[in-house]
Amino acid sequence: MRLSSAIRAALIAVTALVGAGLSSAHADSGTVSLVIYKAGWFIGGSGGSGTLNFRGRSYALSTGGIDYGLVFGGSKTVLRGRVSNINRPSDVAGVYGAAGAGIAVGRGARAIVLTNQKGAVLELSGQQTGLMANADLSGLAITMR
């Protein structure tokens, strides 16, 4: 009896692993473009909008967030890139967290990789314009409009 429960437990574990592997294998990717405005003095905020292109359709996105640490100035960032590990458009929605430091005077390049609680991975790059100095923790929430 003890052997059969061990075999049963092993079969359940193998089934769960195979199911998890198949779920990831069916995950897809899309492209994202975002325009984010950021301003702050020690505590900052950001907001913006964008578009997700996924399986031939476009979906409107909204962004918002908060930064805390050393934040000074204001900027506009235009980012484009890829989102991976999503099964449906709503998987891109969620909260993304990051820690970072930098300075932008005028125009500069920006690149970032973020992951949300659903496992969606954003790989974005683009241009940041403005005067911004930061050494902070930040959160970015993306919602579907």
Side-chain angles (χ1 to χ4, degrees):
M1 221 193 264
R2 205 171 203 161
L3 181 60
S4 66
S5 356
I7 292 172
R8 191 174 320 138
L11 286 174
I12 290 171
V14 167
T15 303
L17 287 173
V18 168
L22 289 176
S23 171
S24 294
H26 293 291
D28 208 346
S29 63
T31 60
V32 173
S33 61
L34 298 173
V35 177
I36 301 171
Y37 297 92
K38 181 177 178 178
W41 179 263
F42 290 100
I43 296 176
S46 63
S49 61
T51 305
L52 165 67
N53 293 303
F54 182 66
R55 294 182 181 160
R57 294 193 58 201
S58 293
Y59 302 89
L61 303 174
S62 292
T63 68
I66 190 164
D67 304 323
Y68 49 95
L70 173 62
V71 179
F72 170 77
S75 68
K76 173 186 175 185
T77 306
V78 178
L79 298 168
R80 288 184 174 73
R82 174 186 133 122
V83 59
S84 59
N85 200 34
I86 59 175
N87 295 305
R88 57 191 150 287
S90 61
D91 288 346
V92 77
V95 177
Y96 297 81
I103 189 163
V105 177
R107 182 177 290 242
R110 178 92 168 143
I112 192 163
V113 176
L114 301 166
T115 303
N116 73 4
Q117 72 276 10
K118 297 174 190 171
V121 179
L122 287 173
E123 301 171 46
L124 304 170
S125 61
Q127 294 288 321
Q128 183 174 13
T129 306
L131 172 61
M132 176 64 69
N134 69 304
D136 60 359
L137 297 173
S138 59
L140 176 68
I142 296 179
T143 55
M144 307 271 309
R145 286 196 271 167

